[in-house]
Amino acid sequence: MRTWISQLRKGLVEMSVMAALRDGEAYGYQILQRLKVTEELATTESAVYPILARLARDGFVKVRVAPSPTGPPRRYYRLTPQGKARLKEMGRYWKGIIAAVNNLLQEKTR
Amino acid sequence: MMDEANELNPDVRGRIDAHLDAIAAALSAAGMSRSERRSITDDVEAQVLEMLSSRAGPSPTLADADAVLAELDPPEAYAREDFVSPPPSVPMPTPARPRFSRTAILGAIWAGLFLAILVPAAALLFFSRSVAVPNRSKRVAAHAQSRRPESASTQPGAESTADEAQRLDAEVNMPVAKLSRPRPKSSITLFALILFLPAILILGATVLGLVAISQIRRSAGRLYGLGLALFDAILFPLLLLDVAIFGLCYALTLVDNRVINLDRWVMIVVAGLTCLIVDFLLVRWAWRSVHKPHPAAA
């Protein structure tokens, strides 16, 4: 069961990270904190930071470097228009999958 | 800000750098580009320093650094292939374009049929009855004229005047169908249609509207047209409610004037305003209800 949950969450990390940026820009640790609010979405930095790097490389997020009071400059991430469109597509597909799986589960339990 | 990081205890700084170098090495071994390695290690460094600052303030010790690093993923975790070389991208299936609910359209058509068929049919029935059933007073005069004898007293075997009057009276009061021309069959059929067809159309439009609402809410965005579906579902119930309100207000005007002493037109205005308010509140409640997220779609 733990393996299944792990695989399921692994598939959702990218969408979760982009969704955490939907309301505005955030730096890496801040994104981790936003995801930790919901225990089911909590994930670690070794999963999130490489995804952020890949999203920046692919143009779905934009990076702004700003001074930090606690150390080196922080890297603030913000969704680009392409990123917002991709998140919208992901959300639509996600809702379809949810409805389909729910229907399947309801049929099986009849 | 960089000075604060460099002001760290050298041992603490060294421990953090070692951790970051190990991460960079793991990413490099997995084939990640330098810019991406730099991006990831910068984020990890920012997180470590923020955690240290929260834990130990401006002067963290080596123990603080070890405690913070122990909370993080080990450098080997960054070497997992699924993060440095994502699986071959599977093209995202093109989601089906949302379409307008056909059930809602069908319900609107049924509602439209109610007006398109009923009004002309009612008018046709009204005029057909006017032709088939002549006015009663004219009937009486015509019948009396046709039955009046030339001279009742001179004809042999003639009825007395009183008997004849009684017979004429009975004939005049006979059912209309026996005196006038028979009612056309089309009027009967039309009458049946007038009676049953509206009920079918009203029920059909309302049911189709409710079904469309349910389908749209479960579709998770694949169907739209909630406004039209709601219109279909509540149009006729609201109209019936309005008729009931008007009927109630009209009935109140028939009450003894000592109890309700208002002009009829005033009562009509009051009824109209009541209908508007009630309709507005019901439509608003219904609108909010159907727009709540559906558990199955969420």
Side-chain angles (χ1 to χ4, degrees), chain A:
Chain A
M1 185 67 182
R2 192 171 287 185
T3 307
W4 176 77
I5 292 174
S6 174
Q7 291 295 320
L8 180 66
R9 288 174 55 172
K10 194 183 291 185
L12 295 176
V13 170
E14 182 173 336
M15 186 174 72
S16 303
V17 166
M18 292 180 79
L21 291 172
R22 186 181 53 192
D23 294 331
E25 68 175 14
Y27 58 94
Y29 188 42
Q30 204 172 20
I31 294 170
L32 280 173
Q33 303 286 57
R34 284 184 186 178
L35 293 176
K36 271 185 189 164
V37 169
T38 310
E39 190 181 337
E40 290 79 4
L41 294 177
T43 186
T44 58
E45 65 281 351
S46 69
V48 170
Y49 294 153
I51 284 178
L52 284 171
R54 181 158 54 81
L55 290 173
R57 180 195 71 197
D58 294 341
F60 294 123
V61 298
K62 193 168 56 176
V63 183
R64 178 179 72 92
V65 180
S68 158
T70 55
R74 283 177 182 156
R75 297 166 58 83
Y76 285 84
Y77 296 89
R78 173 189 289 275
L79 287 178
T80 61
Q82 295 93 323
K84 288 177 183 171
R86 182 176 173 91
L87 179 60
K88 201 173 175 182
E89 291 273 323
M90 283 176 161
R92 197 177 295 163
Y93 187 72
W94 171 247
K95 286 177 183 173
I97 281 283
I98 287 285
V101 170
N102 280 342
N103 283 339
L104 196 62
L105 288 173
Q106 283 173 5
E107 282 176 14
K108 288 293 182 187
T109 54
R110 277 188 201 143

